[in-house]
């Protein structure tokens, strides 16, 4: 009789309050106490997609580019042969179509002929030469040119895709730049900075003053040979 009364009480309680909350209160605690899940890549993927699709990504990128442009405008007349260095991927051009198709995975080899579906091999994607400009960086590029500043691209893309990259930059609206420095195929660097900083030094050796280097990775900015560095947002991938 008591058991039946208890069951009846629980039934009524479930009608009055969500049983789910009761279940949550009695959830089994993880063991050992205090343990918690490490960062979850699935959660990070969703957050990165929301950041891109909400417009926050482009807004944040634009804020950095505008600050870089203001710096160029303030300094251009005060140095000999002023120059701006731009990275390419996720700085000047957007690889979003490839990143989305691969669910943020990096696939170097293989074709890229099923877009918007993946997989999409990155070298095949580079050869397609269809990455669009990131608008705020294209505006920075044009502002620099209007100020009489020479613009150089320094990229970790391998030199076997030089022609496709040149075609992609021009097709995306980047016209009138002064140099394109590609990473030599077959060479490897512990950090992209080990390649990019000496490349900036080589530009300086030609008499230019690099007012700014702009990129989406810290390795675009480290190693000196630029008066200032401007770091753009990129939660989609990391290059040491
Ligand atoms: Mg980049």
């Amino acid at each position: 009789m008591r058991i039946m009364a208890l069951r009846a009480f629980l039934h009524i309680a479930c009608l009055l309050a969500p049983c789910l909350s009761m279940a949550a209160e009695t959830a089994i605690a993880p063991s050992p106490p205090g343990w918690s899940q490490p960062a979850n890549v699935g959660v990070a993927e969703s957050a990165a997609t929301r950041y891109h699709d909400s417009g926050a990504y482009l807004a944040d990128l634009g804020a950095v580019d505008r600050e870089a442009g203001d710096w160029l405008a303030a300094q251009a007349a005060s140095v000999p042969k002023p120059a701006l260095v731009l990275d390419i991927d996720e700085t000047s051009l957007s690889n979003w179509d490839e990143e989305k198709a691969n669910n943020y995975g990096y696939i170097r080899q293989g074709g890229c002929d099923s877009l918007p579906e993946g997989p999409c091999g990155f070298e095949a994607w580079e050869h397609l030469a269809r990455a669009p400009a990131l608008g705020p960086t294209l505006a920075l590029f044009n502002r620099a040119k209007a100020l009489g500043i020479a613009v150089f691209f320094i990229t970790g893309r391998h030199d076997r895709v030089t022609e496709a990259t040149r075609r992609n930059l021009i097709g995306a609206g980047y016209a009138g730049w002064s140099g394109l420095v590609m990473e030599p195929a077959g060479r490897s660097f512990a950090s992209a900075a080990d390649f990019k900083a000496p490349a900036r030094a080589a530009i300086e050796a030609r008499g230019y003053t690099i007012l700014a280097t702009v990129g989406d990775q810290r390795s675009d900015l480290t190693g000196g040979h630029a008066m200032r560095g401007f770091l753009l947002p990129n939660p989609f991938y990391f290059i040491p």
Side-chain angles (χ1 to χ4, degrees):
M1 191 67 183
R2 282 186 179 175
I3 292 174
M4 288 183 66
L6 179 61
R7 282 180 179 164
F9 169 77
L10 288 174
H11 179 71
I12 293 168
C14 281
L15 290 175
L16 296 175
C19 288
L20 282 176
S21 65
M22 294 176 68
E25 288 168 9
T26 57
I28 299 169
S31 180
W35 182 87
S36 62
Q37 287 278 9
N40 185 294
V41 294
V43 173
E45 278 179 7
S46 299
T49 301
R50 280 197 303 276
Y51 179 60
H52 177 276
D53 291 352
S54 69
Y57 167 58
L58 211 54
D60 288 350
L61 189 136
V64 178
D65 275 335
R66 282 191 295 278
E67 189 181 338
D70 291 346
W71 166 253
L72 297 181
Q75 299 295 323
S78 62
V79 300
K81 295 182 72 171
L84 166 68
V85 169
L86 295 175
D87 167 57
I88 291 183
D89 294 307
E90 273 51 68
T91 295
S92 304
L93 299 177
S94 170
N95 299 299
W96 177 249
D97 289 346
E98 171 268 337
E99 292 160 22
K100 192 176 173 187
N102 291 332
N103 210 26
Y104 304 111
Y106 178 64
I107 303 170
R108 172 161 282 284
Q109 302 298 336
C112 179
D113 44 23
S114 303
L115 290 173
E117 302 299 319
C120 172
F122 191 68
E123 283 199 11
W125 163 256
E126 289 172 314
H127 281 291
L128 289 175
R130 56 183 267 188
L134 282 159
T137 305
L138 181 56
L140 171 65
F141 173 88
N142 286 325
R143 190 174 178 186
K145 280 201 315 174
L147 289 164
I149 296 171
V151 184
F152 295 84
F153 293 101
I154 300 178
T155 176
R157 289 186 175 200
H158 289 164
D159 55 9
R160 57 177 167 256
V161 292
T162 299
E163 272 315 301
T165 300
R166 185 189 306 275
R167 197 162 16 99
N168 197 154
L169 286 169
I170 292 170
Y174 292 95
W177 30 273
S178 298
L180 169 60
V181 184
M182 313 283 294
E183 192 171 297
R187 294 282 307 280
S188 65
F189 301 88
S191 165
D194 297 337
F195 159 69
K196 293 191 169 189
R200 291 195 298 274
I203 292 168
E204 285 181 338
R206 294 165 55 190
Y208 288 98
T209 303
I210 299 176
L211 295 173
T213 174
V214 180
D216 61 292
Q217 306 285 327
R218 291 201 177 276
S219 51
D220 293 322
L221 314 183
T222 54
H225 301 289
M227 290 175 70
R228 282 191 65 182
F230 292 87
L231 182 63
L232 302 172
N234 183 355
F236 314 119
Y237 58 83
F238 173 75
I239 297 176

